[in-house]
Amino acid sequence: MRKLCVILTILSSVITAHAQGTIGTWNGNLNLGTMKLPLVFHIGDNSCTLDSPNQGAKGILGKVNFQSADSISVAFESLGGSYVGKLQEGKLKGTFTQMGYRLSLELEKGELVRLRPQTPRPPFPYQTEEVIFVNEKDTASLAGTLTWPVGYQKGKKVPVVLMITGSGMQNRDEEIFDHKPFAVIADYLARHGVASLRYDDRQVGGSKGNVTHATTEDFMCDAEAGLKYLKELKSFSRIGVLGHSEGGTIAFMLAKEKKPDFIVSLAGTGLRGDSVITEQTNFILRQQGKPGNMTVKQMHLTMMMTKTTPWYDFFVSYDPAEAIQKVKCPALILNGSKDSQVLAESNLSVIRNLMPKHTKSKIKEYPGLNHLFQPCKTGAVDEYGTIEQTISEEVLADIAEWIQTL
């Protein structure tokens, strides 16, 4: 029996060593003709997950069918795809197959390095504070970072903005495709005399709360709780909100209720939700070389075949017109001309017509910027991750300067 145990131990060691050549993190580009799609494989001993950073997908589970020191075969059932590779000259060379298409894919050992030059790196010349505030209406607990301006001294009142993310559950940096827009904005504002509070959405990071049945109205209540928290600190001259995409729409909703002293809407919607989605769909169709002429009615008929969520049902039926008409505080409304998710031409024209005139309000469209306010070529979502800049320096400067003028 003792000899058998020794043999099994030796065999186990040999098998583990045999697979070591393929174990590790590997990355490579899938050549799709008009574009290259970065993929990252995290290969363990009889385990594998896949990341597609440009699509915002991480941890896609794979089933290892075969693994040796120089070869691996993995099936990704949720994708209907697979990868077979063999180690040659220090690289995994093989084929990625999906939906009948076979594409060569060469992987190099190591993490995918993305250049994000604007992402703030410590040490910071300003103070930050980890905080928690609660939406008492449904006991959602939100964890965030309060960033004070450079040189801030206690007792000195400064302006502050509460940052509200776009649709989908995101962390306090609004992290997407390895970009951290809210971290970049908070850093820039802190260096220009403005404090900020950014927080994790429900069930992300340190935050808790029901997501299954949550709608834009619920997320508005979360933001309202953040405003209440900032007011209770009694440390600020003016308290505003800065919202991106759905967060921009929430900014209008809060302004209607006279909650903030000012708002900054980054690509917030002016159209009813079903019109926004229809425009998005038509943009994608045109990008694919197809006629982009779907109507709102056709969109609804299409979605009737799909199971929807409470968030979606609220979004498609919500019209921000009433909220926009009741914005009495100063408002900075920004959008990019190449935004493919909230089209500038249609949404800004509605906002211009509806929003009451205010001497300090401003509406601006930036030529050549996309939904994330990056300089771009097409404005398509799959382009976001390929762009190194996180957000236009002009946009950052305009936001900080406008807030200071208040």
Side-chain angles (χ1 to χ4, degrees):
M1 177 64 74
R2 189 174 298 170
K3 287 183 179 179
L4 178 60
C5 290
V6 171
I7 291 170
L8 289 175
T9 301
I10 293 172
L11 282 174
S12 177
S13 300
V14 170
I15 291 170
T16 301
H18 192 52
Q20 283 295 323
T22 55
I23 290 176
T25 298
W26 300 79
N27 76 88
N29 290 317
L30 195 63
N31 194 334
L32 301 177
T34 58
M35 62 174 286
K36 292 184 178 180
L37 184 67
L39 296 177
V40 181
F41 289 72
H42 303 282
I43 302 174
D45 184 7
N46 199 38
S47 67
C48 180
T49 60
L50 173 67
D51 299 341
S52 179
N54 282 13
Q55 296 175 305
K58 294 184 178 181
I60 301 169
L61 189 62
K63 179 183 178 182
V64 178
N65 294 321
F66 174 80
Q67 185 177 19
S68 68
D70 66 352
S71 301
I72 189 165
S73 173
V74 190
F76 299 97
E77 294 180 359
S78 63
L79 301 177
S82 63
Y83 177 70
V84 176
K86 185 176 179 62
L87 199 58
Q88 299 177 34
E89 300 174 346
K91 298 180 180 181
L92 272 175
K93 299 182 179 181
T95 303
F96 187 88
T97 304
Q98 187 179 30
M99 298 176 65
Y101 292 94
R102 294 170 56 84
L103 301 170
S104 62
L105 178 59
E106 184 176 291
L107 303 174
E108 294 184 351
K109 195 75 172 283
E111 295 283 352
L112 176 66
V113 178
R114 311 290 291 267
L115 295 178
R116 301 291 183 254
Q118 289 177 298
T119 299
R121 312 287 181 191
F124 304 121
Y126 48 79
Q127 300 175 18
T128 62
E129 183 180 344
E130 296 304 294
V131 304
I132 293 177
F133 58 92
V134 178
N135 172 3
E136 296 178 354
K137 292 183 179 180
D138 61 2
T139 63
S141 173
L142 295 312
T145 300
L146 180 58
T147 302
W148 299 94
V150 173
Y152 173 77
Q153 295 180 345
K154 193 171 183 180
K156 177 185 176 182
K157 292 197 172 184
V158 295
V160 65
V161 292
L162 177 77
M163 299 189 188
I164 310 171
T165 66
S167 58
M169 309 319 295
Q170 296 176 285
N171 66 21
R172 66 192 68 186
D173 295 332
E174 202 188 31
E175 189 169 351
I176 180 172
F177 306 114
D178 296 322
H179 286 290
K180 298 180 178 182
F182 278 12
V184 173
I185 295 173
D187 179 82
Y188 192 94
L189 292 179
R191 295 171 190 271
H192 292 80
V194 182
S196 65
L197 172 56
R198 63 191 197 275
Y199 59 95
D200 298 327
D201 291 337
R202 298 179 179 200
Q203 293 189 12
V204 177
S207 293
K208 300 176 182 178
N210 179 278
V211 172
T212 306
H213 301 290
T215 69
T216 306
E217 278 190 329
D218 296 304
F219 300 137
M220 180 198 71
C221 292
D222 290 347
E224 188 177 349
L227 288 175
K228 181 182 177 183
Y229 171 81
L230 291 173
K231 289 176 182 177
E232 289 173 348
L233 291 180
K234 298 181 180 179
S235 299
F236 308 106
S237 56
R238 288 183 176 84
I239 301 174
V241 297
L242 180 152
H244 177 233
S245 196
E246 182 186 22
T249 303
I250 290 174
F252 290 131
M253 297 167 75
L254 290 167
K256 172 192 170 186
E257 301 301 325
K258 300 180 174 60
K259 299 297 181 180
D261 296 322
F262 63 90
I263 65 170
V264 179
S265 172
L266 303 176
T269 59
L271 297 172
R272 184 177 142 123
D274 49 9
S275 294
V276 173
I277 292 177
T278 302
E279 287 195 337
Q280 290 177 3
T281 303
N282 285 332
F283 177 90
I284 294 170
L285 290 171
R286 288 192 292 270
Q287 285 289 108
Q288 297 173 345
K290 301 174 183 177
N293 52 14
M294 176 179 279
T295 65
V296 172
K297 184 177 180 180
Q298 289 171 328
M299 187 279 295
H300 277 292
L301 290 172
T302 301
M303 293 310 299
M304 284 176 64
M305 307 297 292
T306 306
K307 185 177 180 180
T308 59
T309 64
W311 177 88
Y312 179 87
D313 292 338
F314 178 90
F315 179 80
V316 295
S317 62
Y318 179 71
D319 190 339
E322 182 186 357
I324 296 170
Q325 287 174 323
K326 294 184 178 180
V327 174
K328 303 297 183 183
C329 65
L332 180 64
I333 314 299
L334 308 178
N335 209 327
S337 69
K338 290 194 174 182
D339 190 331
S340 64
Q341 294 181 255
V342 179
L343 275 63
E345 183 178 0
S346 53
N347 285 276
L348 286 187
S349 63
V350 169
I351 295 171
R352 283 193 184 94
N353 291 331
L354 292 176
M355 199 170 70
K357 304 300 179 185
H358 191 292
T359 55
K360 293 185 179 179
S361 290
K362 184 177 181 180
I363 298 176
K364 184 173 180 178
E365 178 180 340
Y366 296 88
L369 300 189
N370 62 18
H371 188 63
L372 300 186
F373 293 87
Q374 301 169 298
C376 64
K377 293 180 181 178
T378 68
V381 174
D382 58 22
E383 192 181 31
Y384 298 168
T386 67
I387 302 170
E388 292 183 9
Q389 188 175 46
T390 297
I391 184 170
S392 161
E393 290 286 342
E394 182 184 358
V395 173
L396 292 171
D398 284 348
I399 294 170
E401 182 180 344
W402 183 80
I403 293 174
Q404 289 290 11
T405 64
L406 301 178

